Amino acid sequence: MKYTIPGSGTSPASAGEVAVSTSPASAGEVARSAGEGAEIARTVAEVMAQSQAGGVLDELDRDLVGLAPVKARIRDIAALLVIDRLRMNQGLQAQAPSLHMSFTGNPGTGKTTVALRMAQILHRLGYIRKGHLVAVTRDDLVGQYVGHTAPKTREVLKKAMGGVLFIDEAYYLYRPENERDYGQEAIEILLQVMENQRDDLVVILAGYKDRMDTFFKSNPGMSSRIAHHIDFPDYSQGELLEISDRMLAGMNYHFGEGCREAFAEYLVLRLQQPHFANARSVRNALDRMRLRQASRLFADRDRELTETDLTTLTPDDIRASRLFAADAS
């Protein structure tokens, strides 16, 4: 059975969207439509100015700590798309490049954030109509009984058409040990849509590297449709400290005297523990610090609290962590 998702590039685009055809020749039409009303670009600078994709790349560098190899790969992909667009502007017919991707790495390394930026870049360069991202897991795609999976998967694909579908922990779609599992049906639908409607949908599969490698070995059809494999490294201790500074600033908090040093000690201890989730674990630790600060201030009910009191975290707010107690023992 051939699956075609309604709402894809064969239907009229709504206001503000770039129309996409599924024919091979449509790649040039898509790229040119992004710069409608402007002169046809002949240089990289003109394409970047017309599409404003450079702004997204600059935001990626500015807003995300570390991830140098990831940022380099995203720039390489953007460069390919820009050059392809210039080729189309010169009348060099070309089929749209395959843009399905795999993001591998531990939790909290920025995979979803980079996927959002990638959707913006693809949209501004005219390779997808909408530029939105739909993030799902197995539960959103796989049904619990016969005949349930196909409608669920098609509904998700319909929502994602014209944008990017981000499937987190994609390897859970495949459970060969369970003969009654319906994940394989979702995979087969995804494979057909990734091939037949790749001009109107980009799929990003994400998860732990070792499990994704096993998933691709077990599903060679899926592996063959992924053009870009990007590995997200863990953050260093210094990068985690910088991330904590940015997170606190975004919440109108800051480390008080000696607190940043205490938090650096906490990170050393936490990195030695299991289930460390990079930026996610940093955020959780900061939330617990805020909780301790609130309890500390709440205890002194008659004290008039200043802005400094309300925004400053102290060394005691982190040293109360059980990690310090365990280390002392």
Side-chain angles (χ1 to χ4, degrees), residues 95-327:
Q95 188 170 354
S98 177
L99 294 168
H100 302 310
M101 306 177 195
S102 169
F103 288 1
T104 55
N106 290 324
T109 49
K111 295 186 291 294
T112 305
T113 301
V114 172
L116 283 165
R117 294 286 197 273
M118 194 72 242
Q120 294 172 346
I121 292 170
L122 294 172
H123 175 54
R124 293 190 183 188
L125 287 173
Y127 283 87
I128 52 178
R129 290 180 292 125
K130 298 179 182 178
H132 67 300
L133 181 136
V134 175
V136 299
T137 63
R138 171 191 163 91
D139 289 344
D140 300 298
L141 298 168
V142 181
Q144 301 298 316
Y145 50 85
V146 174
H148 191 207
T149 294
K152 286 188 72 171
T153 302
R154 284 198 293 266
E155 182 61 28
V156 167
L157 287 166
K158 183 178 179 180
K159 291 178 182 177
M161 279 296 161
V164 172
L165 176 62
F166 182 85
I167 306 177
D168 198 16
E169 297 184 309
Y171 32 76
Y172 286 132
L173 290 174
Y174 183 67
R175 291 180 175 174
E177 71 280 359
N178 185 352
E179 294 181 358
R180 300 184 62 183
D181 184 71
Y182 304 113
Q184 187 61 41
E185 184 179 1
I187 292 174
E188 290 172 1
I189 296 173
L190 285 168
L191 287 173
Q192 290 196 31
V193 173
M194 287 169 70
E195 181 63 28
N196 299 334
Q197 296 176 262
R198 63 193 181 102
D199 284 345
D200 200 34
L201 178 71
V202 172
V203 175
I204 300 178
L205 308 178
Y208 290 104
K209 180 171 175 51
D210 56 344
R211 297 183 188 180
M212 289 299 294
D213 289 343
T214 301
F215 173 71
F216 287 133
K217 288 178 183 177
S218 302
N219 295 273
M222 184 67 77
S223 178
S224 67
R225 285 166 174 77
I226 300 298
H228 306 282
H229 294 262
I230 303 178
D231 188 40
F232 286 64
D234 289 332
Y235 291 109
S236 68
Q237 182 188 341
E239 290 169 343
L240 292 169
L241 271 176
E242 185 178 347
I243 288 170
S244 68
D245 288 332
R246 295 189 182 197
M247 286 181 174
L248 287 177
M251 298 183 290
N252 290 314
Y253 285 86
H254 65 272
F255 289 126
E257 184 177 355
C259 188
R260 195 172 192 272
E261 291 75 13
F263 193 74
E265 294 177 38
Y266 167 84
L267 287 175
V268 172
L269 298 173
R270 183 64 182 88
L271 283 164
Q272 299 171 13
Q273 303 297 312
H275 310 302
F276 182 71
N278 289 279
R280 198 173 301 165
S281 289
V282 167
R283 183 181 63 228
N284 292 340
L286 295 177
D287 284 343
R288 289 190 291 271
M289 289 181 70
R290 293 172 57 210
L291 182 65
R292 296 186 191 107
Q293 182 230 34
S295 296
R296 172 169 53 79
L297 297 177
F298 182 80
D300 195 353
R301 300 194 180 190
D302 296 325
R303 177 186 168 193
E304 183 176 338
L305 298 175
T306 66
E307 180 177 323
T308 299
D309 294 325
L310 295 169
T311 59
T312 304
L313 301 178
T314 70
D316 289 342
D317 295 330
I318 187 60
R319 290 194 181 279
S321 168
R322 65 178 181 272
L323 289 183
F324 285 100
D327 186 59

Side-chain angles (χ1 to χ4, degrees), residues 28-46:
E29 298 168 9
V30 173
R32 282 192 292 272
S33 66
E36 188 176 351
E39 293 185 4
I40 295 178
R42 300 297 185 188
T43 69
V44 169
E46 289 172 350

